[in-house]
Amino acid sequence: MKTFTLPGTQLTVPNVVLGLMRIQEKTDEEVRTLVKTARDAGISFFDHADVYGSETHGCEKRFADAMQLTSSEREQIVLQTKAGIVREGPYFDFSYDHIVESVDGSLAALGTDYIDILLLHRPDALVEPDEVARAFDDLSAAGKVRSFGVSNHTPGQMELLRKSVSQPIVANQVQLSLTHAPLVAQGVAANMQALDQSVSRDSGTLDYCRLNDVTVQAWSPFQAGFFTGVFLGSPEYPELNAVIDRLAKQYDVPAIAVATAWITRHPAQMQVVLGTTNPERVAAAALGSDVPLTRAEWYELFRAAGYAVP
Ligand SMILES: NC(=O)c1ccc[n+]([C@@H]2O[C@H](COP(=O)([O-])OP(=O)(O)OC[C@H]3O[C@@H](n4cnc5c(N)ncnc54)[C@H](OP(=O)(O)O)[C@@H]3O)[C@@H](O)[C@H]2O)c1
């Protein structure tokens, strides 16, 4: 497993991490097997959110109840969680009270006294950057949160936060897979009036993150669209799967590792956030951490996924 020091922190992190959005209905034994498989594969970084689960903090609590981590086990892993979405509505809330209450709820559910990284989940149109800064300062001073980041944010939204927030924004978690790659694809087709691909949907988020040492984390790395099912093995992507399968054979890894490698191969040093609850798939995907796809292979996958290289 490839690891690196997460810029803006002292943390050594893997470039493949495990998301726990889908564990609510899993038994203790299933959660433990999933996490142990991840740990054995070098995945020491776990992604949560207050809203994951059938009730608020549901998946965080499911994880903690199943794992019963000792303090030394807790120290060996990175726990990341998110705040800012209100389920009832839904709506987004970056107010001081909401952020602080959400973190307190996450600490209680996770059974820990600190969160390594807190992400603001989706941009709040009514954000008051000074209020976010005050929440971050208080959470940091209390030792409750060690580092801060965002999710689904544009460069302008990050700049607005940075005007008031003193801590570095260490991560931006965004939707990115081979078949859902506007973040990458727009730049490749910049300035092409006839191509929908050349329309910017995120105002240059990827370049901004690279320029400012904000680590990009790719959520839904195998979903074709927005929770529409995986592209791996899907009859809707025959050309893409043919290329994936050929490269999988060539590198002697499972197909899911090639889909992972398409993201990890990018020089932005991104983290892939796996969402599978199947231990075999976790182990297989982890093998994509360091597959040395050539430039030609990376672009072949990109074209086979339907993107233009004009
Ligand atoms: N920041 C955000 O806004 C945001 C949004 C969504 C998610 N996330 C994070 O990202 C993580 C990953 O998201 P995701 O779960 O949508 O990603 P994903 O890994 O692309 O999708 C996993 C889902 O696909 C299913 N699946 C079916 N066949 C599969 C195959 N061949 N290979 C892999 N998976 C297969 C899995 O089922 P099995 O469990 O049966 O394998 C699981 O339900 C979440 O856990 C969460 O931590 C963040």
Side-chain angles (χ1 to χ4, degrees):
M1 174 67 58
K2 188 174 163 195
T3 60
F4 62 101
T5 303
L6 191 76
T9 76
Q10 310 285 324
L11 297 168
T12 301
V13 298
N15 67 351
V16 179
V17 314
L18 184 64
L20 295 156
M21 181 179 76
R22 301 178 188 269
I23 62 165
Q24 183 72 79
E25 304 308 325
K26 299 294 168 188
T27 64
D28 287 357
E29 199 47 44
E30 287 168 332
V31 172
R32 283 196 288 265
T33 303
L34 180 70
V35 172
K36 182 179 184 312
T37 307
R39 297 284 279 122
D40 289 347
I43 297 173
S44 54
F45 188 121
F46 300 92
D47 182 67
H48 288 275
D50 55 357
V51 285
Y52 295 163
S54 51
E55 57 188 43
T56 305
H57 302 294
C59 286
E60 292 173 325
K61 190 161 172 7
R62 186 81 286 281
F63 174 82
D65 287 351
M67 297 308 298
Q68 298 290 325
L69 295 175
T70 63
S71 53
S72 83
E73 287 168 337
R74 163 67 187 95
E75 278 165 30
Q76 287 162 27
I77 61 171
V78 175
L79 285 180
Q80 172 173 277
T81 194
K82 314 185 194 77
I85 296 181
V86 177
R87 299 161 68 94
E88 302 74 26
Y91 62 92
F92 305 142
D93 188 347
F94 288 3
S95 65
Y96 177 93
D97 287 348
H98 180 76
I99 294 171
V100 170
E101 274 167 29
S102 171
V103 168
D104 285 338
S106 291
L107 290 171
L110 287 165
T112 183
D113 49 15
Y114 68 96
I115 283 159
D116 292 285
I117 306 171
L118 175 73
L119 305 184
L120 296 177
H121 206 153
R122 277 199 177 272
D124 175 11
L126 305 182
V127 62
E128 303 272 10
D130 289 345
E131 226 182 312
V132 173
R134 193 160 57 85
F136 284 8
D137 285 345
D138 286 359
L139 289 168
S140 179
K144 293 180 178 179
V145 177
R146 296 192 172 169
S147 298
F148 299 88
V150 296
S151 176
N152 306 303
H153 274 57
T154 65
Q157 290 162 339
M158 286 185 271
E159 280 292 305
L160 182 62
L161 288 172
R162 283 165 64 141
K163 194 169 166 237
S164 302
V165 168
S166 58
Q167 297 82 4
I169 293 175
V170 302
N172 187 10
Q173 193 175 105
V174 294
Q175 186 176 3
L176 178 64
S177 73
L178 250 170
T179 54
H180 186 285
L183 202 78
V184 174
Q186 189 274 329
V188 174
N191 189 36
M192 299 291 293
Q193 183 165 267
L195 285 180
D196 179 66
Q197 183 181 321
S198 85
V199 175
S200 175
R201 293 186 158 76
D202 56 61
S203 314
T205 293
L206 182 56
D207 292 335
Y208 176 89
C209 289
R210 292 184 77 180
L211 283 165
N212 290 280
D213 285 332
V214 178
T215 296
V216 170
Q217 300 178 341
W219 60 265
S220 286
F222 312 119
Q223 295 287 320
F226 186 49
F227 303 142
T228 51
V230 292
F231 57 80
L232 290 164
S234 163
E236 285 176 41
Y237 295 91
E239 198 190 332
L240 175 60
N241 279 294
V243 179
I244 290 174
D245 290 347
R246 194 194 81 231
L247 292 172
K249 205 175 237 179
Q250 182 185 316
Y251 284 103
D252 194 21
V253 293
I256 195 172
V258 174
T260 303
W262 185 79
I263 301 171
T264 57
R265 166 65 178 84
H266 193 283
Q269 195 162 247
M270 304 183 200
Q271 290 180 297
V272 178
V273 189
L274 308 176
T276 178
T277 56
N278 176 313
E280 289 75 34
R281 285 184 183 137
V282 169
L287 296 173
S289 165
D290 214 5
V291 173
L293 293 175
T294 65
R295 205 176 223 99
E297 290 162 352
W298 188 92
Y299 272 105
E300 185 184 7
L301 286 162
F302 180 71
R303 291 195 311 271
Y307 288 108
V309 179

